[in-house]
Amino acid sequence: MNITYNWKENISRWDEAVPLGNGKCGCLCWGSPEEIRFSLDRTDLWDRTVLWEQNKGFTWKNLVKLAKTGNTAKIREIFDAPYYYPSPTKLTAGRILLHFYGIDGEIESVLNLETAKAEMRFRSRKETVRISAWVHAVEQVGIIEVEAGETEFSAELKNPEFGEKGTEKEYVYCQEERQISQGNLKDLKYPPVIKKQEGELQWFCQPVNDEFSYGVIVGRRKKDSVTRIVWKIVSSEDGDCWMEQGKQQVLGALSAGDELFDSHKKWWKDYFEESGICIPDKFMEKQWYMTNYLFASTSREGGVPMPLQGVWTADEGTLPPWKGDYHNDLNTELSYTHYLKANHLEEGRCFLDFLWSLFDEGRRFAGEFYGAEGCCLPGTMTIDGKPLGGWPMYSLSPSNQMWLAHAFGEYYRYTGDSKFLRERAYPYMKETGIFIQSLLEETEDGYLVLPVSSSPEIHDDTERSWLTPVSNYDLALMIRLFETLEKLAGELGKTEELQWRHIRQRLPELSVNKNKVLMLSPDESLEESHRHFSNAMAVSPLGIIDYEGEGKEIIDAVIADYERLGTSQWVGYTFAWMAHLYAVQGNGEKAAEYLRIFWENFCSCNGFHLNGDFRKKGYSQFTYRPFTLEGNMFSADALQEMLFQMKDGKIRLFPAVPKTWTEKQVSFYSFRGEKGILCSAEIFEGRKLSWKIYTENSVYIQIQYQERLCGEKRLEPGQWWEESLMLE
């Protein structure tokens, strides 16, 4: 692997910058020689100040009542209003500026994925200036090294420019003024920043409120022609002596030798060896590796999971898009889809550990808001699991909790970790099941449904968004939850197995119209282009409907219907979702086509998913560019689905690969499948198929290529199965 990203000229936007990160801290490198910016971020920097006074009507019972009476104005006033306020919100950390004098040339920048290191160079009148930057893979420090010789430059530490405490204004909710970025940083009112300098160090401390402060420490030391700059983001949540300890770590990194970079490089080498691909389309291969780089840069075990922008909060003086929050109606879940198959378990466990740490908060919210037992987190929430408000048919939909619970079931399905099943997966899913069960109502036909229903984000926040119970989005998640609970309870010998089965048997069937298309709800089909394929959840990503028999007819009809409606109202991740559907269908040509559209037209030059058709190529009427990460991860998962699929012990090798690929050479290694199997496979010139499988648990496997059964075997823990066969 030797993959680089190259920029031939100055980078003028933060969302096109060279991205660096280690799961907790991030840096964006961009600018011109007159002002090279290193925009700094840390995932757990949050202003948790609640500015809105919770209305006594902020309850599920009242929301259901208002929805059934069609009182949209009151719903917005009570439930959407909290999102109107500037905080709670994710915060940016600050920036380091390097100023080179008398130079107006272009900076050439390179990002080497294998070493997670950025390199920049430009010509001065005297010499070539070289700058390297990296965020240590494990230690929470960033390093910038400037090889400038005689060229003069200065380094400046800049704090974000917030508003002054004491200049607060009164907020009056206005639904028409709600924006993606709810204002600018000056709308956040804080005490004055404290700036100091001492010897080789300079730093600032920004008080946010009585409970929380944060700051950035920068150290500078020159040795021969190289100046090393070390930075560290610190916060009051790091411990009692957080600022002093941070200073000592910066000084230690200033003095460190080659071993500092060697340990950083080794971590990334080990990470990229966990899985890999080799496909003829080198552009798509490169994007897959870039996505895995972004994933490890913004998600690590022991930290908090990636919010909407990960470790790269917008650096343009505004609040981040959608407050940089945790959106649990699609964003967090899609951001953690690909890691299991890509065999990056440690980085992905970050999400599950986070949800587990909020277990008690979920119980509290279920009780206080829904008046229910069990566990439920808000659909849009802060880093500590508090509700942010927003369109309540999605931000407060109980169904999103089932999608979160699904992540626990998937981790067990891919690992076969019995301890995780007993101690985490089943308890979390059980509490979710108890919660959903307590909300269900019986229809005249004896079915169990939710009292109100929706499908993200169909009909926005209008009265029509309340669909006839129960939407296929809600129902697919209920089917998956209670089927999984029944299965897992059986494996554990739990008496609840019959309870879960009884609930599943009383759920209605998924709504399908006369054309075999999955509907939005029992009395409405999708009749317009839309960014959310939530009516097709049962196909992807939940996998309830298989591509065989009647399921094949339904999946073909769903795909044809999306093609009929067109892409005008799609955003980036929608193209990744469509590629997923084509992969299920086995249509490799179309899957590859839609992934290429996504990566070429909805991603920035640095790989960031910018949601809109910002280059205005005509793929979508959304031409904005708010950066979020879920599209990146979901696209990588779609490519993985083209190469390898496994369900109930059946492995489909290269199930949706373009014919032109198989005529050359396609391979992957160490993809993770069910029950902890690791599979590597190759197809060469369309004639030779080979595979190598290792299993961590006892498992029965069938290997299939196209419609051909290629082999079957029972493997015991630690056993390998390696085989090759000629296809012609």
Side-chain angles (χ1 to χ4, degrees), residues 343 670-673 676-680 692-696 720:
N343 197 30
S670 294
F671 273 16
R672 180 169 287 269
I677 75 135
L678 293 173
C679 180
S680 302
K692 185 176 182 179
I693 295 174
Y694 172 83
T695 181
E696 299 167 348
W720 289 89

Side-chain angles (χ1 to χ4, degrees), residues 478-540:
M478 286 194 284
I479 291 171
R480 173 53 72 215
L481 174 66
F482 290 110
E483 282 186 348
T484 305
L485 278 170
E486 178 188 349
K487 179 182 178 181
L488 299 185
E491 288 187 32
L492 293 171
K494 299 284 188 181
T495 58
E496 301 101 34
E497 180 183 3
L498 294 177
Q499 172 191 347
W500 305 131
R501 182 185 306 163
H502 181 62
I503 296 172
R504 168 63 187 99
Q505 290 173 342
R506 296 186 65 194
L507 296 177
E509 295 298 315
L510 290 162
S511 298
V512 179
N513 67 22
K514 64 181 181 180
N515 297 319
K516 295 287 189 179
V517 177
L518 288 166
M519 302 170 70
L520 294 170
S521 68
D523 58 4
E524 184 178 357
S525 292
L526 184 66
E527 289 298 338
E528 60 184 4
S529 176
H530 199 275
R531 59 194 173 276
H532 283 261
F533 288 171
S534 45
N535 61 313
M537 285 284 291
V539 180
S540 170

Side-chain angles (χ1 to χ4, degrees), residues 278-474:
C278 182
I279 60 178
D281 191 322
K282 293 306 173 184
F283 169 75
M284 293 178 66
E285 178 182 309
K286 182 177 181 179
Q287 294 300 100
W288 184 83
Y289 277 104
M290 181 55 155
T291 300
N292 281 278
Y293 169 81
L294 295 176
F295 185 74
S297 295
T298 195
S299 184
R300 296 287 181 85
E301 190 174 26
V304 297
M306 66 183 88
L308 287 177
Q309 289 89 37
V311 292
W312 302 293
T313 301
D315 182 14
E316 54 186 357
T318 64
L319 297 178
W322 298 289
K323 303 187 177 187
D325 65 9
Y326 291 98
H327 262 55
N328 296 325
D329 64 347
L330 176 146
N331 303 80
T332 54
E333 294 92 342
L334 294 189
S335 293
Y336 285 90
T337 49
H338 101 288
Y339 81 92
L340 289 165
K341 191 167 288 184
N343 197 30
H344 296 313
L345 297 185
E346 291 184 12
E347 293 73 29
R349 273 198 299 267
C350 170
F351 184 46
L352 302 176
D353 291 344
F354 175 69
L355 295 175
W356 186 260
S357 73
L358 294 175
F359 210 165
D360 288 342
E361 185 62 34
R363 287 193 184 103
R364 185 199 65 77
F365 187 67
E368 291 186 4
F369 180 77
Y370 293 97
E373 298 178 349
C375 174
C376 181
L377 290 169
T380 56
M381 69 181 191
T382 65
I383 193 173
D384 48 359
K386 298 292 193 298
L388 279 167
W391 293 350
M393 52 289 296
Y394 322 114
S395 67
L396 295 167
S397 167
S399 296
N400 299 326
Q401 175 62 25
M402 292 187 280
W403 203 347
L404 295 178
H406 176 66
F408 284 84
E410 286 294 275
Y411 186 88
Y412 170 65
R413 183 166 77 91
Y414 275 86
T415 64
D417 186 335
S418 57
K419 181 180 179 183
F420 180 84
L421 170 62
R422 290 191 310 272
E423 297 180 0
R424 291 283 179 94
Y426 187 75
Y428 195 89
M429 297 186 80
K430 175 183 175 180
E431 288 294 305
T432 301
I434 290 171
F435 165 70
I436 294 297
Q437 181 183 9
S438 69
L439 299 183
L440 295 177
E441 297 179 349
E442 186 174 353
T443 67
E444 293 180 357
D445 298 329
Y447 291 117
L448 295 176
V449 299
L450 293 168
V452 292
S453 198
S454 63
S455 190
E457 294 168 343
I458 301 297
H459 306 314
D460 294 340
D461 68 334
T462 64
E463 184 178 344
R464 293 182 62 205
S465 66
W466 299 104
L467 306 179
T468 300
V470 63
S471 71
N472 271 345
Y473 172 78
D474 292 344

Side-chain angles (χ1 to χ4, degrees), residues 62-72 74-75 452 463:
N62 190 43
L63 178 58
V64 170
K65 176 184 174 182
L66 294 172
K68 288 185 174 182
T69 58
N71 195 339
T72 302
K74 198 68 176 177
I75 288 173
V452 292
E463 184 178 344

Side-chain angles (χ1 to χ4, degrees), residues 663-674:
E663 290 171 349
K664 297 177 182 177
Q665 183 178 12
V666 188
S667 64
F668 62 85
Y669 69 86
S670 294
F671 273 16
R672 180 169 287 269
E674 293 175 335

